Amino acid sequence: MIDIGLYITYFLFAVAVAAAVGMPLVNAGKSPGSMKKSLIAVGALVVLFAVSYGLSGSGVTPEQAVKGITESSSKLIGAGLTMLYLCMGISVVAIIYSEISKAIK
């Protein structure tokens, strides 16, 4: 019984992922101008990740080495955490700016 439920879940997850990827591509084909903003946003995230990757360290403690963490995985983890902090800070600043600009108008 559990196996059937898992297979149904996997199938529905695959359908949801296909829809999440496919529908924006279909809509972008209808209006290519809207694709420009999306590509700029994706490019900004790639640049932000590159900066985060450059800032992250690759040090591994003996406890981490026992768990199988290598220098490259440590650098990727650090880059992910740095990117999380940067995105969170940018979003907080954007929220504050949006509220202040609405209050001034």
Side-chain angles (χ1 to χ4, degrees), residues 24-41:
L25 293 176
V26 169
N27 289 335
K30 293 178 183 176
S31 61
S34 66
M35 186 81 164
K36 181 180 175 183
K37 291 180 182 178
S38 298
L39 289 176
I40 290 172

PDB file of all heavy atoms in Angstrom, residues 24-41:
ATOM      1  N   PRO A  24       6.086  28.471 -17.941  1.00  0.00           N
ATOM      2  CA  PRO A  24       6.763  29.738 -18.219  1.00  0.00           C
ATOM      3  C   PRO A  24       7.410  29.767 -19.603  1.00  0.00           C
ATOM      4  O   PRO A  24       7.460  30.815 -20.247  1.00  0.00           O
ATOM      5  CB  PRO A  24       7.831  29.834 -17.119  1.00  0.00           C
ATOM      6  CG  PRO A  24       7.293  29.028 -16.007  1.00  0.00           C
ATOM      7  CD  PRO A  24       6.549  27.911 -16.661  1.00  0.00           C
ATOM      8  N   LEU A  25       7.889  28.623 -20.070  1.00  0.00           N
ATOM      9  CA  LEU A  25       8.478  28.581 -21.412  1.00  0.00           C
ATOM     10  C   LEU A  25       7.416  28.805 -22.483  1.00  0.00           C
ATOM     11  O   LEU A  25       7.667  29.481 -23.486  1.00  0.00           O
ATOM     12  CB  LEU A  25       9.197  27.258 -21.638  1.00  0.00           C
ATOM     13  CG  LEU A  25      10.444  27.028 -20.788  1.00  0.00           C
ATOM     14  CD1 LEU A  25      11.005  25.634 -21.029  1.00  0.00           C
ATOM     15  CD2 LEU A  25      11.490  28.079 -21.079  1.00  0.00           C
ATOM     16  N   VAL A  26       6.232  28.240 -22.275  1.00  0.00           N
ATOM     17  CA  VAL A  26       5.130  28.451 -23.229  1.00  0.00           C
ATOM     18  C   VAL A  26       4.720  29.921 -23.231  1.00  0.00           C
ATOM     19  O   VAL A  26       4.528  30.531 -24.291  1.00  0.00           O
ATOM     20  CB  VAL A  26       3.928  27.545 -22.868  1.00  0.00           C
ATOM     21  CG1 VAL A  26       2.699  27.929 -23.671  1.00  0.00           C
ATOM     22  CG2 VAL A  26       4.284  26.087 -23.090  1.00  0.00           C
ATOM     23  N   ASN A  27       4.592  30.523 -22.047  1.00  0.00           N
ATOM     24  CA  ASN A  27       4.218  31.936 -21.957  1.00  0.00           C
ATOM     25  C   ASN A  27       5.306  32.843 -22.524  1.00  0.00           C
ATOM     26  O   ASN A  27       5.013  33.888 -23.095  1.00  0.00           O
ATOM     27  CB  ASN A  27       3.913  32.320 -20.515  1.00  0.00           C
ATOM     28  CG  ASN A  27       2.626  31.705 -20.033  1.00  0.00           C
ATOM     29  OD1 ASN A  27       1.736  31.390 -20.819  1.00  0.00           O
ATOM     30  ND2 ASN A  27       2.523  31.496 -18.738  1.00  0.00           N
ATOM     31  N   ALA A  28       6.569  32.460 -22.356  1.00  0.00           N
ATOM     32  CA  ALA A  28       7.664  33.260 -22.906  1.00  0.00           C
ATOM     33  C   ALA A  28       7.652  33.215 -24.429  1.00  0.00           C
ATOM     34  O   ALA A  28       8.029  34.187 -25.080  1.00  0.00           O
ATOM     35  CB  ALA A  28       9.000  32.760 -22.380  1.00  0.00           C
ATOM     36  N   GLY A  29       7.215  32.115 -24.981  1.00  0.00           N
ATOM     37  CA  GLY A  29       7.105  32.023 -26.435  1.00  0.00           C
ATOM     38  C   GLY A  29       6.038  32.942 -26.987  1.00  0.00           C
ATOM     39  O   GLY A  29       6.150  33.447 -28.105  1.00  0.00           O
ATOM     40  N   LYS A  30       4.992  33.191 -26.200  1.00  0.00           N
ATOM     41  CA  LYS A  30       3.922  34.082 -26.635  1.00  0.00           C
ATOM     42  C   LYS A  30       4.315  35.547 -26.550  1.00  0.00           C
ATOM     43  O   LYS A  30       3.884  36.354 -27.370  1.00  0.00           O
ATOM     44  CB  LYS A  30       2.662  33.828 -25.797  1.00  0.00           C
ATOM     45  CG  LYS A  30       2.045  32.478 -26.041  1.00  0.00           C
ATOM     46  CD  LYS A  30       0.829  32.263 -25.159  1.00  0.00           C
ATOM     47  CE  LYS A  30       0.253  30.878 -25.366  1.00  0.00           C
ATOM     48  NZ  LYS A  30      -0.862  30.612 -24.461  1.00  0.00           N
ATOM     49  N   SER A  31       5.101  35.899 -25.530  1.00  0.00           N
ATOM     50  CA  SER A  31       5.536  37.289 -25.376  1.00  0.00           C
ATOM     51  C   SER A  31       7.028  37.317 -25.020  1.00  0.00           C
ATOM     52  O   SER A  31       7.384  37.309 -23.847  1.00  0.00           O
ATOM     53  CB  SER A  31       4.715  37.998 -24.301  1.00  0.00           C
ATOM     54  OG  SER A  31       4.878  37.353 -23.061  1.00  0.00           O
ATOM     55  N   PRO A  32       7.884  37.358 -26.025  1.00  0.00           N
ATOM     56  CA  PRO A  32       9.328  37.312 -25.766  1.00  0.00           C
ATOM     57  C   PRO A  32       9.846  38.524 -24.977  1.00  0.00           C
ATOM     58  O   PRO A  32      10.892  38.445 -24.344  1.00  0.00           O
ATOM     59  CB  PRO A  32       9.945  37.292 -27.153  1.00  0.00           C
ATOM     60  CG  PRO A  32       8.863  36.914 -28.083  1.00  0.00           C
ATOM     61  CD  PRO A  32       7.583  37.318 -27.436  1.00  0.00           C
ATOM     62  N   GLY A  33       9.138  39.627 -24.993  1.00  0.00           N
ATOM     63  CA  GLY A  33       9.572  40.805 -24.255  1.00  0.00           C
ATOM     64  C   GLY A  33       9.602  40.583 -22.755  1.00  0.00           C
ATOM     65  O   GLY A  33      10.452  41.127 -22.047  1.00  0.00           O
ATOM     66  N   SER A  34       8.683  39.771 -22.261  1.00  0.00           N
ATOM     67  CA  SER A  34       8.660  39.490 -20.829  1.00  0.00           C
ATOM     68  C   SER A  34       9.821  38.589 -20.417  1.00  0.00           C
ATOM     69  O   SER A  34      10.189  38.545 -19.243  1.00  0.00           O
ATOM     70  CB  SER A  34       7.340  38.836 -20.442  1.00  0.00           C
ATOM     71  OG  SER A  34       7.227  37.563 -21.045  1.00  0.00           O
ATOM     72  N   MET A  35      10.384  37.896 -21.376  1.00  0.00           N
ATOM     73  CA  MET A  35      11.511  37.005 -21.092  1.00  0.00           C
ATOM     74  C   MET A  35      12.763  37.800 -20.710  1.00  0.00           C
ATOM     75  O   MET A  35      13.614  37.305 -19.961  1.00  0.00           O
ATOM     76  CB  MET A  35      11.789  36.147 -22.326  1.00  0.00           C
ATOM     77  CG  MET A  35      12.809  35.103 -22.150  1.00  0.00           C
ATOM     78  SD  MET A  35      12.065  33.699 -21.345  1.00  0.00           S
ATOM     79  CE  MET A  35      13.286  32.479 -21.683  1.00  0.00           C
ATOM     80  N   LYS A  36      12.851  39.038 -21.168  1.00  0.00           N
ATOM     81  CA  LYS A  36      14.029  39.863 -20.907  1.00  0.00           C
ATOM     82  C   LYS A  36      14.211  40.101 -19.407  1.00  0.00           C
ATOM     83  O   LYS A  36      15.316  39.949 -18.878  1.00  0.00           O
ATOM     84  CB  LYS A  36      13.894  41.188 -21.646  1.00  0.00           C
ATOM     85  CG  LYS A  36      15.049  42.133 -21.496  1.00  0.00           C
ATOM     86  CD  LYS A  36      14.799  43.414 -22.285  1.00  0.00           C
ATOM     87  CE  LYS A  36      15.881  44.424 -22.057  1.00  0.00           C
ATOM     88  NZ  LYS A  36      15.613  45.690 -22.754  1.00  0.00           N
ATOM     89  N   LYS A  37      13.142  40.433 -18.713  1.00  0.00           N
ATOM     90  CA  LYS A  37      13.216  40.676 -17.270  1.00  0.00           C
ATOM     91  C   LYS A  37      13.601  39.406 -16.517  1.00  0.00           C
ATOM     92  O   LYS A  37      14.380  39.454 -15.562  1.00  0.00           O
ATOM     93  CB  LYS A  37      11.891  41.209 -16.745  1.00  0.00           C
ATOM     94  CG  LYS A  37      11.561  42.600 -17.202  1.00  0.00           C
ATOM     95  CD  LYS A  37      10.237  43.063 -16.639  1.00  0.00           C
ATOM     96  CE  LYS A  37       9.872  44.441 -17.146  1.00  0.00           C
ATOM     97  NZ  LYS A  37       8.567  44.880 -16.643  1.00  0.00           N
ATOM     98  N   SER A  38      13.078  38.288 -16.948  1.00  0.00           N
ATOM     99  CA  SER A  38      13.406  37.024 -16.296  1.00  0.00           C
ATOM    100  C   SER A  38      14.874  36.670 -16.488  1.00  0.00           C
ATOM    101  O   SER A  38      15.537  36.207 -15.554  1.00  0.00           O
ATOM    102  CB  SER A  38      12.540  35.900 -16.852  1.00  0.00           C
ATOM    103  OG  SER A  38      11.191  36.149 -16.594  1.00  0.00           O
ATOM    104  N   LEU A  39      15.384  36.880 -17.681  1.00  0.00           N
ATOM    105  CA  LEU A  39      16.791  36.585 -17.945  1.00  0.00           C
ATOM    106  C   LEU A  39      17.712  37.510 -17.158  1.00  0.00           C
ATOM    107  O   LEU A  39      18.776  37.086 -16.690  1.00  0.00           O
ATOM    108  CB  LEU A  39      17.085  36.680 -19.438  1.00  0.00           C
ATOM    109  CG  LEU A  39      16.497  35.563 -20.297  1.00  0.00           C
ATOM    110  CD1 LEU A  39      16.786  35.819 -21.771  1.00  0.00           C
ATOM    111  CD2 LEU A  39      17.048  34.217 -19.880  1.00  0.00           C
ATOM    112  N   ILE A  40      17.315  38.758 -16.991  1.00  0.00           N
ATOM    113  CA  ILE A  40      18.107  39.684 -16.181  1.00  0.00           C
ATOM    114  C   ILE A  40      18.139  39.216 -14.732  1.00  0.00           C
ATOM    115  O   ILE A  40      19.195  39.237 -14.078  1.00  0.00           O
ATOM    116  CB  ILE A  40      17.556  41.122 -16.299  1.00  0.00           C
ATOM    117  CG1 ILE A  40      17.837  41.672 -17.699  1.00  0.00           C
ATOM    118  CG2 ILE A  40      18.152  42.027 -15.236  1.00  0.00           C
ATOM    119  CD1 ILE A  40      17.172  42.992 -17.982  1.00  0.00           C
ATOM    120  N   ALA A  41      17.001  38.764 -14.216  1.00  0.00           N
ATOM    121  CA  ALA A  41      16.938  38.278 -12.834  1.00  0.00           C
ATOM    122  C   ALA A  41      17.789  37.023 -12.653  1.00  0.00           C
ATOM    123  O   ALA A  41      18.523  36.895 -11.659  1.00  0.00           O
ATOM    124  CB  ALA A  41      15.495  38.003 -12.438  1.00  0.00           C
TER     125      ALA A  41
END
